[in-house]
Amino acid sequence: MAKMEVKSSLLDNMIGVGDMVLLEPLNEETFIDNLKKRFDHNEIYTYIGSVVISVNPYRSLPIYSPEKVEDYRNRNFYELSPHIFALSDEAYRSLRDQDKDQCILITGESGAGKTEASKLVMSYVAAVCGKGAEVNEVKEQLLQSNPVLEAFGNAKTVRNDNSSRFGKYMDIEFDFKGDPLGGVISNYLLEKSRVVKQPRGERNFHVFYQLLSGASEELLHKLKLERDFSRYNYLSLDSAKVNGVDDAANFRTVRNAMQIVGFMDHEAEAVLEVVAAVLKLGNIEFKPESRVNGLDESKIKDKNELKEICELTSIDQLVLERAFSFRTVEAKQEKVSTTLNVAQAYYARDALAKNLYSRLFSWLVNRINESIKAQTKVRKKVMGVLDIYGFEIFEDNSFEQFIINYCNEKLQQIFIELTLKEEQEEYIREDIEWTHIDYFNNAIICDLIENNTNGILAMLDEECLRPGTVTDETFLEKLNQVCATHQHFESRMSKCSRFLNDTTLPHSCFRIQHYAGKVLYQVEGFVDKNNDLLYRDLSQAMWKAGHALIKSLFPEGNPAKVNLKRPPTAGSQFKASVATLMKNLQTKNPNYIRCIKPNDKKAAHIFNESLVCHQIRYLGLLENVRVRRAGYAFRQAYEPCLERYKMLCKQTWPHWKGPARSGVEVLFNELEVPVEEYSFGRSKIFIRNPRTLFQLEDLRKQRLEDLATLIQKIYRGWKCRTHFLLMKRSQVVIAAWCRRYAQQKRYQQIKSSALVVQSYIRGWKARKLLRELKHQKRCKEAATTIAAYWHGTQVRREYRKFFRANAGKKIYEFTLQRIVQKYFLEMKNKMPSLSPIDKNWPSRPYLFLDSTHKELKRIFHLWRCKKYRDQFTDQQKLIYEEKLEASELFKDKKALYPSSVGQPFQGAYLEINKNPKYKKLKDAVEEKIIIAEVVNKINRANGKSTSRIFLLTNNNLLLADQKSGQIKSEVPLGDVTKVSMSSQNDGFFAVHLKEGSEAASKGDFLFSSDHLIEMATKLYRTTLSQTNQKLNIEISDEFLVQFRQDKVCVKFIQGNQKNGSVPTCKRKNNRLLEVAVP
């Protein structure tokens, strides 16, 4: 039987319906029930044709692993269960293989998972495209741009902990092979009002909290910030901490991402300085103050915050302070300066903070674009990913919600147009008759908002630009006059009488019936937010900043480029951006991901049907299904269709030999499917009603069960026959082996019997031969023994007289030799260790070996001492020679000597060569320095001590001042005749000089040192090596010294010291100097 290739399909093992086009019956209730059933089984993705519906699970699911990426790679869109990877793969393969530019539009309300969906699309494309060092670097930069933009553009809202507060469109550029070359990011309408004020339960942008939580103490100090959130007025405190969010770790991730994207260290620091400045702007507060002319003006309460902001941004404090207090208006050649009251000052402060942050965000996007843009000029393929805010309906809807919903109206319009276009193109391509499809066209709502003459945005701009008093109320009056008759505009103050008594419509509001439902807009703030004014004084103050980044953000502040033309309004800018975006999207093949939020609690396993129903309505998903089903609900290529259903017809099973289309025609004719239920295209079959498809699936399921039964029957028959034949062969084999075994056993018995008989015969013969050989051997040995005894008797008889004379001497020598041999062998095993200080030695075994034993001990000691000395380096030998010399000079003579034995002789205690303080002294001494030590020189007149640097070189003894390093005395070693010291435990010693020498003019020297033994030893050895004469070392408790013309007796006495254990010296009279030693 030929092996059948089995492929999985969207229709296999379905939970609910994987493609809503096949849902039967189609209504809102069955649509929601199908989504809920799949959501409960962790199936969060569902198709509407080629559109993917994604329900946010609010938890991690194991469906995004590398194995899943490989499963969906290069697979047909409907081949596996619905997944965002399937749409990503379809878009990527269309771009790579068919050279079609793609765009992926991700829509849905806040918290529905749009940002995560865009990340998954980018990660899939990065995983399946080419490899290589350059390609991987580009992919990493594209992926790492997300954390940076999320930190600066996302915030925690009541509906989403990571809500995008800006629209993002990224064009990823590929080469002809499908490898990424770079990308371009466009941002739309950052919600900059969030910088200065956040609704209850929401946070400011992530970067503020990440900076305060994750920055080091050093960085916070540099930015003049504190870690406490409550110190800053722009940060809401009721939701500063978010469960499951580690702001400190996210800050490290953002810093790392900025480095990967290509931000230099100084650029990253400049960005954080601007963020810190925005944060501190909120702490500036104003107080009212009246002028002489009666006008109110404002003053800053605490200028410390202003001072720190100016230090951060390098702005003159007086310039910025004046910009917060005055406003200069220029008209032609005139300038008028007016004071700002407290309310105006707060408005100016908040406007500056909002503009500073929004311009910083735009600069970040441009800087990222510089890093990730394609470097080559070759033609590129483009895949666009649009992650933009979803439709928003809040309790209080203002200007931001108005333009966000306008953008969603445009996206819905292009979605319907491109969907219908795609359907129509496929029908034409497959040569199927196209029928007109009725659908709601929201162009009338778009026209209400964007019409250049009487659209809401145009009237808002007109109201902002006209002279005179302009308020939100005058703008609403204008709307009531122009839009009163529009069927999608509602206002209680309009001419339309049907809304006069509508209590759900306040007087200061208007309502628009969007495609997603009615939205009530508060008119308050529309004019100010559309104007988005920043006083020119503040722009000029920012331009004067020494901070390069801030200066570049406010080019209009340059006095040389003053432009009196009013800047474009926020509404007109956004309208132009949306128009450019729509034009861009229309040039690409669209792919849609519709994101749905299952509940408002951001919790897993909860499916709120009313909330989902609302989203299904405003996303127009049912209408999208009806558009897909208006003609034919299901279509499939002939080859997979024949492969799936060929078992339903005997002519096509198991293999069809002809074209696939002919096989499908034969199959449908055999099954008697009504002709009106299907049509044949060029490469696909189109099925009109889902019921027909489900009937085919039921028939296939029943046929597969029948085939499974048939396969089981054939398999069981084959298994039984195989078992019988095996048993039969086994019986033959067993019988053969039994007969063989019986014959082998009989043969072994006969063989063993013959061997026993043979062994007995051979044994008898061998024993007989053995007896004969033994008799012959005994006879021979007896004759030899008799001859030996005879010869021995003859020899003893001949040599008996010689043996008695020499036997004693021989025995003595032999015994002595054995005793000595035994002695040496025992000594070999009892030898002590090789340590020269080990005095153990084996005891003497015999008295006559006494001298030998002592000599051997002496020789062994000399030998191990030589082995120990051979290990010394030259430096160690010199140290031990000095220590030996000290022992010979002072042992048992000087009480200080024992404490010096364990101290190494270092010589250079001051490190003159390394210490810059003694550079002058180092330059003056050219010889090698043997000793460099600070000693106390005893004054000859009063016995007081003075610190001096004692230097000993190869030829001279020098004394220098400790502070200045200036040499005070220099004595040649030939003029030193003697060194005197006491026998007690003190450090005093006298250096006697040759009478008549130049150095002896003032008399001998008397010193006190902590290293007396070392200094005397080195002085003795150096003098001996230079003069070949031994220096006299006198150790006595009384000795004479020459002080100028007098001889003075230095006497050492025992006494109680005031200074503890420190000896003291005192001049008693002209002939006596007493040293009191403890």
Side-chain angles (χ1 to χ4, degrees):
M1 183 177 180
K3 184 179 179 181
M4 181 182 68
E5 182 184 2
V6 180
K7 290 186 178 180
S8 57
S9 170
L10 173 70
L11 300 172
D12 288 332
N13 303 319
M14 272 198 311
I15 297 171
V17 178
D19 190 342
M20 289 293 189
V21 174
L22 305 178
L23 188 62
E24 189 69 27
L26 177 63
N27 54 54
E28 198 171 77
E29 183 179 352
T30 57
F31 194 100
I32 295 173
D33 287 343
N34 187 56
L35 280 181
K36 185 176 187 303
K37 183 186 295 183
R38 293 178 62 78
F39 178 81
D40 291 341
H41 288 81
N42 295 331
E43 294 287 342
I44 63 171
Y45 296 112
T46 309
Y47 292 154
I48 301 178
S50 60
V51 177
V52 175
I53 302 174
S54 171
V55 183
N56 192 346
Y58 285 117
R59 61 192 177 100
S60 298
L61 295 176
I63 58 174
Y64 306 110
S65 62
E67 292 76 17
K68 279 288 182 183
V69 171
E70 289 302 318
D71 288 345
Y72 282 88
R73 187 173 186 174
N74 295 326
R75 301 294 285 269
N76 184 276
F77 186 75
Y78 297 102
E79 194 170 335
L80 297 175
S81 59
H83 202 290
I84 194 171
F85 287 170
L87 179 136
S88 305
D89 186 74
E90 183 77 12
Y92 176 71
R93 286 192 292 114
S94 297
L95 175 137
R96 182 191 63 191
D97 302 335
Q98 301 177 20
D99 206 16
K100 292 181 179 178
D101 287 350
Q102 303 290 316
C103 66
I104 298 176
L105 281 69
I106 307 172
T107 56
E109 72 172 50
S110 179
K114 301 186 298 300
T115 301
E116 289 302 316
S118 68
K119 290 181 186 176
L120 290 171
V121 170
M122 292 178 65
S123 64
Y124 179 85
V125 173
V128 300
C129 63
K131 310 293 181 185
E134 293 184 5
V135 173
N136 289 339
E137 182 180 356
V138 171
K139 290 193 290 188
E140 188 67 15
Q141 287 187 338
L142 290 173
L143 293 174
Q144 290 300 327
S145 64
N146 275 328
V148 180
L149 293 178
E150 283 184 14
F152 287 85
N154 289 24
K156 188 259 183 192
T157 66
V158 292
R159 297 186 176 184
N160 185 0
D161 289 344
N162 188 30
S163 176
S164 297
R165 308 317 298 162
F166 71 104
K168 182 179 75 172
Y169 176 75
M170 173 182 280
D171 268 334
I172 308 173
E173 300 172 335
F174 298 83
D175 62 8
F176 69 97
K177 302 190 299 296
D179 294 341
L181 297 173
V184 179
I185 299 173
S186 302
N187 66 300
Y188 301 95
L189 189 67
L190 177 73
E191 187 189 15
K192 57 186 178 182
S193 61
R194 181 172 293 271
V195 174
V196 299
K197 185 179 180 182
Q198 305 91 42
R200 180 174 295 277
E202 299 190 3
R203 294 205 315 177
N204 210 321
F205 291 101
H206 291 329
V207 68
F208 296 113
Y209 304 92
Q210 292 173 357
L211 175 61
L212 296 181
S213 300
S216 63
E217 294 294 339
E218 180 183 358
L219 179 58
L220 288 178
H221 179 72
K222 184 178 179 181
L223 298 177
K224 306 184 186 306
L225 296 176
E226 297 179 22
R227 208 173 290 281
D228 184 9
F229 296 158
S230 63
R231 291 275 295 110
Y232 303 100
N233 297 332
Y234 279 166
L235 300 183
S236 63
L237 300 179
D238 55 344
S239 57
K241 295 290 184 181
V242 182
N243 292 332
V245 176
D246 187 347
D247 288 318
N250 290 339
F251 180 72
R252 292 189 291 272
T253 301
V254 171
R255 291 297 299 268
N256 182 57
M258 292 178 77
Q259 188 175 5
I260 292 174
V261 171
F263 282 81
M264 305 298 290
D265 289 342
H266 70 274
E267 291 178 324
E269 290 178 6
V271 169
L272 295 181
E273 287 170 353
V274 175
V275 172
V278 171
L279 202 54
K280 294 182 76 64
L281 273 174
N283 291 351
I284 295 179
E285 297 182 347
F286 302 92
K287 60 183 179 181
E289 191 171 295
S290 299
R291 301 183 70 180
V292 178
N293 55 8
L295 295 176
D296 290 335
E297 65 176 15
S298 61
K299 291 291 183 181
I300 296 175
K301 288 183 180 179
D302 183 6
K303 296 185 180 180
N304 186 49
E305 292 286 353
L306 181 66
K307 178 183 176 183
E308 291 184 349
I309 293 172
C310 293
E311 290 174 356
L312 269 176
T313 57
S314 301
I315 300 176
D316 186 350
Q317 183 174 343
L318 294 176
V319 172
L320 187 57
E321 184 178 359
R322 175 175 175 77
F324 280 133
S325 303
F326 294 88
R327 178 187 179 187
T328 303
V329 180
E330 298 183 21
K332 295 183 180 180
Q333 302 299 324
E334 297 182 0
K335 289 185 179 181
V336 179
S337 181
T338 60
T339 59
L340 300 179
N341 57 32
V342 172
Q344 292 170 332
Y346 277 116
Y347 173 83
R349 180 201 68 178
D350 290 344
L352 176 60
K354 291 187 290 185
N355 273 271
L356 193 56
Y357 191 83
S358 66
R359 296 184 189 203
L360 172 65
F361 186 78
S362 299
W363 180 89
L364 277 171
V365 173
N366 294 332
R367 180 63 184 82
I368 292 173
N369 285 337
E370 289 178 10
S371 296
I372 66 175
K373 68 181 178 182
Q375 303 299 323
T376 59
K377 302 253 180 175
V378 297
R379 183 181 175 276
K380 309 174 190 72
K381 304 174 183 179
V382 177
M383 176 186 289
V385 179
L386 178 64
D387 173 12
I388 203 161
Y389 12 63
F391 200 86
E392 292 188 349
I393 304 177
F394 299 146
E395 290 184 6
D396 296 324
N397 301 289
S398 187
F399 178 74
E400 291 85 1
Q401 283 69 45
F402 174 73
I403 55 178
I404 286 172
N405 294 342
Y406 160 61
C407 179
N408 278 272
E409 287 284 359
K410 296 294 290 183
L411 287 174
Q412 176 68 10
Q413 184 182 22
I414 196 173
F415 169 69
I416 295 295
E417 290 176 359
L418 292 178
T419 301
L420 289 174
K421 181 181 177 183
E422 183 183 2
E423 284 285 296
Q424 187 174 8
E425 285 177 352
E426 184 172 24
Y427 276 47
I428 294 172
R429 186 168 59 248
E430 295 293 330
D431 200 18
I432 300 294
E433 183 179 355
W434 171 257
T435 56
H436 178 72
I437 299 174
D438 292 327
Y439 64 95
F440 170 68
N441 189 346
N442 67 335
I444 186 172
I445 304 175
C446 296
D447 186 69
L448 169 65
I449 298 172
E450 67 181 4
N451 189 285
N452 290 330
T453 55
N454 55 5
I456 295 176
L457 285 176
M459 286 186 285
L460 180 59
D461 285 350
E462 182 180 333
E463 191 68 13
C464 290
L465 297 176
R466 74 174 178 82
T469 303
V470 177
T471 63
D472 296 318
E473 289 72 19
T474 59
F475 165 62
L476 182 59
E477 289 176 7
K478 193 174 189 72
L479 287 183
N480 291 333
Q481 293 174 4
V482 178
C483 304
T485 58
H486 199 285
Q487 58 182 335
H488 292 275
F489 179 84
E490 301 174 4
S491 174
R492 197 166 180 179
M493 302 301 293
S494 67
K495 299 176 182 178
C496 188
S497 60
R498 59 195 173 112
F499 300 115
L500 291 177
N501 299 319
D502 189 349
T503 56
T504 64
L505 187 59
H507 291 283
S508 61
C509 301
F510 65 92
R511 189 160 55 203
I512 294 179
Q513 186 175 350
H514 290 281
Y515 77 93
K518 294 183 178 182
V519 182
L520 183 69
Y521 295 104
Q522 299 279 350
V523 76
E524 181 182 356
F526 261 63
V527 173
D528 283 343
K529 291 176 181 178
N530 188 53
N531 271 327
D532 193 21
L533 286 179
L534 178 67
Y535 297 152
R536 185 174 286 111
D537 301 74
L538 289 170
S539 298
Q540 292 175 350
M542 292 297 105
W543 187 85
K544 293 176 182 178
H547 196 283
L549 175 57
I550 292 179
K551 186 169 185 175
S552 66
L553 297 179
F554 293 87
E556 75 276 12
N558 188 350
K561 299 179 180 179
V562 173
N563 185 7
L564 298 181
K565 184 179 179 182
R566 191 182 184 93
T569 61
S572 60
Q573 291 181 49
F574 187 73
K575 176 182 173 183
S577 299
V578 169
T580 304
L581 176 63
M582 296 302 116
K583 185 177 180 182
N584 191 358
L585 294 179
Q586 286 176 338
T587 62
K588 296 178 174 61
N589 186 48
N591 302 271
Y592 299 96
I593 301 173
R594 301 295 213 179
C595 297
I596 290 178
K597 181 169 65 173
N599 60 78
D600 275 330
K601 298 179 180 179
K602 297 179 278 190
H605 307 294
I606 298 177
F607 191 91
N608 187 326
E609 295 187 10
S610 61
L611 177 64
V612 174
C613 177
H614 170 70
Q615 295 173 80
I616 288 171
R617 288 174 182 171
Y618 83 64
L619 287 173
L621 298 183
L622 273 175
E623 190 171 59
N624 185 207
V625 177
R626 292 190 181 101
V627 168
R628 290 283 302 191
R629 288 176 54 159
Y632 294 90
F634 182 77
R635 70 237 29 205
Q636 191 174 28
Y638 290 122
E639 288 80 4
C641 180
L642 182 62
E643 185 69 26
R644 186 167 184 82
Y645 301 112
K646 64 183 180 180
M647 70 287 296
L648 301 180
C649 175
K650 292 183 179 179
Q651 299 179 49
T652 57
W653 178 257
H655 297 291
W656 173 255
K657 302 296 184 182
R661 173 170 177 166
S662 302
V664 174
E665 291 176 353
V666 170
L667 176 65
F668 274 60
N669 290 333
E670 179 74 16
L671 296 175
E672 297 182 353
V673 179
V675 178
E676 62 273 11
E677 286 296 318
Y678 64 90
S679 290
F680 292 104
R682 296 180 184 274
S683 62
K684 297 180 181 178
I685 180 156
F686 289 74
I687 298 176
R688 187 180 301 277
N689 199 309
R691 281 194 301 273
T692 304
L693 180 66
F694 292 137
Q695 288 171 3
L696 289 175
E697 283 296 311
D698 292 339
L699 290 173
R700 178 177 181 271
K701 183 177 180 181
Q702 182 61 45
R703 180 59 178 159
L704 287 176
E705 292 177 357
D706 295 342
L707 289 174
T709 304
L710 177 62
I711 292 170
Q712 288 177 351
K713 180 185 75 173
I714 294 172
Y715 172 73
R716 287 172 182 152
W718 169 83
K719 188 174 182 180
C720 290
R721 284 193 301 275
T722 303
H723 183 66
F724 168 75
L725 293 174
L726 179 62
M727 294 290 288
K728 184 178 180 180
R729 287 196 300 272
S730 301
Q731 187 272 333
V732 173
V733 171
I734 291 170
W737 276 87
C738 286
R739 288 192 295 271
R740 177 187 175 189
Y741 173 75
Q743 293 298 324
Q744 281 181 342
K745 188 174 182 181
R746 184 183 174 200
Y747 167 75
Q748 291 294 340
Q749 288 176 349
I750 295 172
K751 183 178 179 181
S752 61
S753 301
L755 290 175
V756 170
V757 174
Q758 289 177 355
S759 64
Y760 272 98
I761 294 174
R762 291 191 185 100
W764 174 76
K765 288 184 177 181
R767 287 191 295 274
K768 183 180 179 181
L769 178 61
L770 179 62
R771 286 194 298 271
E772 293 175 354
L773 291 174
K774 282 184 177 180
H775 178 70
Q776 293 176 5
K777 183 178 180 182
R778 283 198 297 273
C779 292
K780 187 176 180 180
E781 287 177 349
T784 304
T785 302
I786 293 169
Y789 272 92
W790 169 250
H791 290 305
T793 301
Q794 294 295 324
V795 170
R796 283 192 295 275
R797 186 181 298 160
E798 182 70 24
Y799 288 95
R800 186 175 289 130
K801 54 185 177 183
F802 299 107
F803 176 75
R804 287 176 181 172
N806 298 316
K809 183 180 179 181
K810 292 290 184 181
I811 292 171
Y812 172 77
E813 290 177 352
F814 175 77
T815 303
L816 187 63
Q817 181 181 1
R818 290 298 298 163
I819 289 174
V820 172
Q821 185 179 8
K822 182 181 178 182
Y823 167 71
F824 280 115
L825 289 174
E826 290 178 351
M827 286 296 292
K828 175 184 177 184
N829 297 326
K830 295 180 180 179
M831 295 298 283
S833 68
L834 294 179
S835 173
I837 62 174
D838 187 359
K839 297 186 178 181
N840 293 325
W841 187 252
S843 60
R844 179 194 62 199
Y846 302 101
L847 182 61
F848 74 91
L849 291 173
D850 184 58
S851 60
T852 303
H853 194 67
K854 291 179 179 179
E855 183 63 20
L856 190 60
K857 178 180 179 181
R858 186 185 69 81
I859 293 171
F860 177 75
H861 181 68
L862 293 175
W863 173 78
R864 67 182 176 182
C865 286
K866 181 180 182 304
K867 293 288 286 185
Y868 185 75
R869 289 195 303 272
D870 290 344
Q871 298 175 7
F872 293 163
T873 62
D874 292 341
Q875 185 177 359
Q876 287 176 323
K877 287 179 181 179
L878 180 61
I879 292 172
Y880 281 106
E881 285 175 2
E882 290 180 346
K883 286 289 185 180
L884 183 59
E885 194 80 60
S887 175
E888 293 174 356
L889 292 173
F890 302 108
K891 186 176 181 182
D892 300 329
K893 298 176 185 178
K894 177 71 174 173
L896 185 65
Y897 170 73
S899 63
S900 71
V901 173
Q903 298 177 356
F905 290 173
Q906 297 182 12
Y909 290 94
L910 295 185
E911 298 183 346
I912 291 177
N913 293 331
K914 298 180 181 178
N915 196 333
K917 177 181 177 182
Y918 302 119
K919 184 176 184 302
K920 180 178 179 183
L921 182 58
K922 175 190 171 186
D923 295 339
V925 180
E926 299 179 353
E927 298 177 272
K928 178 183 177 183
I929 297 174
I930 299 172
I931 291 180
E933 164 67 336
V934 176
V935 299
N936 291 323
K937 178 179 173 293
I938 308 303
N939 191 293
R940 298 180 179 91
N942 53 21
K944 294 184 179 180
S945 61
T946 306
S947 295
R948 289 286 187 266
I949 297 175
F950 184 97
L951 298 178
L952 176 62
T953 66
N954 289 332
N955 295 308
N956 296 295
L957 187 153
L958 298 95
L959 293 177
D961 185 81
Q962 185 184 6
K963 294 182 180 179
S964 63
Q966 181 179 0
I967 295 175
K968 296 292 187 179
S969 301
E970 182 174 356
V971 180
L973 291 182
D975 292 346
V976 178
T977 60
K978 184 173 64 173
V979 174
S980 299
M981 63 189 72
S982 75
S983 62
Q984 300 184 42
N985 192 15
D986 63 273
F988 284 85
F989 67 99
V991 178
H992 300 272
L993 306 180
K994 185 188 294 184
E995 292 185 7
S997 64
E998 182 181 350
S1001 59
K1002 292 184 179 180
D1004 300 333
F1005 292 106
L1006 185 60
F1007 301 109
S1008 174
S1009 172
D1010 293 335
H1011 304 94
L1012 167 61
I1013 301 299
E1014 178 183 358
M1015 295 176 70
T1017 303
K1018 288 185 180 289
L1019 182 58
Y1020 176 85
R1021 287 175 58 83
T1022 307
T1023 304
L1024 181 61
S1025 64
Q1026 295 300 321
T1027 63
N1028 294 324
Q1029 294 178 0
K1030 291 185 178 180
L1031 182 65
N1032 184 16
I1033 304 291
E1034 179 186 358
I1035 300 176
S1036 174
D1037 288 345
E1038 288 188 18
F1039 53 81
L1040 295 175
V1041 293
Q1042 184 74 34
F1043 286 173
R1044 294 188 183 273
Q1045 303 302 322
D1046 300 326
K1047 286 189 179 293
V1048 178
C1049 176
V1050 179
K1051 184 178 181 180
F1052 291 83
I1053 62 172
Q1054 298 288 336
N1056 295 325
Q1057 306 301 314
K1058 296 180 180 179
N1059 298 329
S1061 61
V1062 180
T1064 58
C1065 183
K1066 187 173 182 181
R1067 184 75 177 264
K1068 289 291 186 180
N1069 52 50
N1070 292 338
R1071 300 296 180 181
L1072 179 62
L1073 182 67
E1074 282 188 356
V1075 179
V1077 180

